[in-house]
Amino acid sequence: MEPEAAGGTEGAPNVSREWRPGIPSVREHLPSLIWGAALPIGVYFVVRSHVRTDVAALIVAGCFSAGWVLLQFVRRRRVDAVGIIVLSGFAVGVVSSTLLGGNAYVLKVRDGFFTALFGVACIVTVFTHDRPTLFYVSRYLSAGNDPDKVSAFDRLHELPIGRRTFRVLSVVWGVGLVVEAAFRLTLADMLPTGTFLAVSPFLTASVVGGLFAFTALYTRRIQGEAAALSASMVPEPASDDWSSPQIPLP
């Protein structure tokens, strides 16, 4: 059931020996973090004194995130899941704010709203689906659209220890993200827009950083269990094949 090396067991996915299931490096996503998150906050503070309302400043700032997604589409001829969420959140925020007569709150919390929905989906799908939402997010971040890598990643879920890992991580991430979103939604109502935008990234970074720390510690322990189980089942496991299940980070 474990993923095999390329050219190994018949029917095994043909993936590079250098590839292992897991999240891509932060460096790979640094441009998106800068253009999609950090820069819009800076733009808000720059343009706020030149426009009449918070709503106008937030819309101008949000245009930079939307512009980055559209630029990536022009370059790659596709929009990934994150880009779709960014564009959808921006569009929903602008439309909702307009219908509510220029309400700045819905623009401030549009990211928190989607975070809460994703957190709830992580929890609910543990009980309603064989593969929870976090599994698909982890697979997308790790394997992209490569069919061989996707197939190799799917084989992880065939392992009982793999299924248990994804279920535990889904619940932990779901609860953590719902709590983080609830705090942001509350702060957005209590704080002025500028103060909220300055505080919100630190709140998000603290919660998400804690979730990643838990994930790293938990999956390290699970990988140790998987390696011990594999050693007991395979007399002489090769060090460079797929005999030891690799449990990924989400």
Side-chain angles (χ1 to χ4, degrees):
M1 302 295 287
E2 294 86 347
E4 297 291 333
T9 303
E10 184 179 357
N14 182 25
V15 297
S16 168
R17 291 177 181 270
E18 287 75 22
W19 180 80
R20 285 292 184 272
I23 60 173
S25 66
V26 174
R27 180 179 300 178
E28 180 179 344
H29 288 274
L30 190 59
S32 295
L33 293 174
I34 294 175
W35 286 89
L39 185 61
I41 295 176
V43 170
Y44 168 84
F45 287 106
V46 170
V47 305
R48 180 61 186 92
S49 60
H50 301 286
V51 296
R52 296 180 58 184
T53 64
D54 278 344
V55 171
L58 288 169
I59 290 176
V60 172
C63 285
F64 279 81
S65 296
W68 170 256
V69 173
L70 293 175
L71 178 61
Q72 295 299 98
F73 171 75
V74 171
R75 292 174 56 190
R76 302 177 181 177
R77 296 299 178 184
R78 65 181 180 86
V79 178
D80 60 20
V82 176
I84 292 175
I85 292 174
V86 170
L87 286 177
S88 300
F90 180 66
V92 170
V94 171
V95 172
S96 300
S97 177
T98 302
L99 293 176
L100 293 174
N103 189 307
Y105 179 79
V106 293
L107 287 170
K108 291 161 63 175
V109 303
R110 68 179 192 273
D111 293 335
F113 178 72
F114 279 99
T115 298
L117 286 180
F118 177 69
V120 170
C122 285
I123 298 171
V124 170
T125 53
V126 166
F127 304 99
T128 60
H129 292 71
D130 180 55
R131 296 177 177 179
T133 298
L134 195 67
F135 170 84
Y136 294 102
V137 174
S138 301
R139 188 180 68 180
Y140 175 79
L141 291 175
S142 178
N145 296 315
D146 186 305
D148 291 323
K149 292 180 180 179
V150 168
S151 177
F153 199 97
D154 286 343
R155 292 159 75 92
L156 290 171
H157 200 267
E158 298 177 9
L159 300 168
I161 196 170
R163 289 193 296 271
R164 175 163 59 91
T165 298
F166 282 115
R167 292 173 68 86
V168 169
L169 292 179
S170 291
V171 172
V172 171
W173 275 79
V175 172
L177 292 177
V178 168
V179 170
E180 187 271 344
F183 271 108
R184 271 203 286 167
L185 294 175
T186 302
L187 290 177
D189 186 50
M190 296 173 55
L191 301 176
T193 300
T195 305
F196 170 75
L197 293 180
V199 171
S200 180
F202 294 99
L203 172 63
T204 300
S206 298
V207 174
V208 174
L211 291 172
F212 269 106
F214 170 82
T215 301
L217 294 174
Y218 181 74
T219 52
R220 188 176 302 165
R221 180 170 70 84
I222 292 298
Q223 287 175 352
E225 294 179 8
L229 177 63
S230 179
S232 66
M233 296 175 61
V234 182
E236 297 180 357
S239 60
D240 60 349
D241 64 11
W242 287 83
S243 59
S244 297
Q246 297 293 316
I247 306 300
L249 301 178

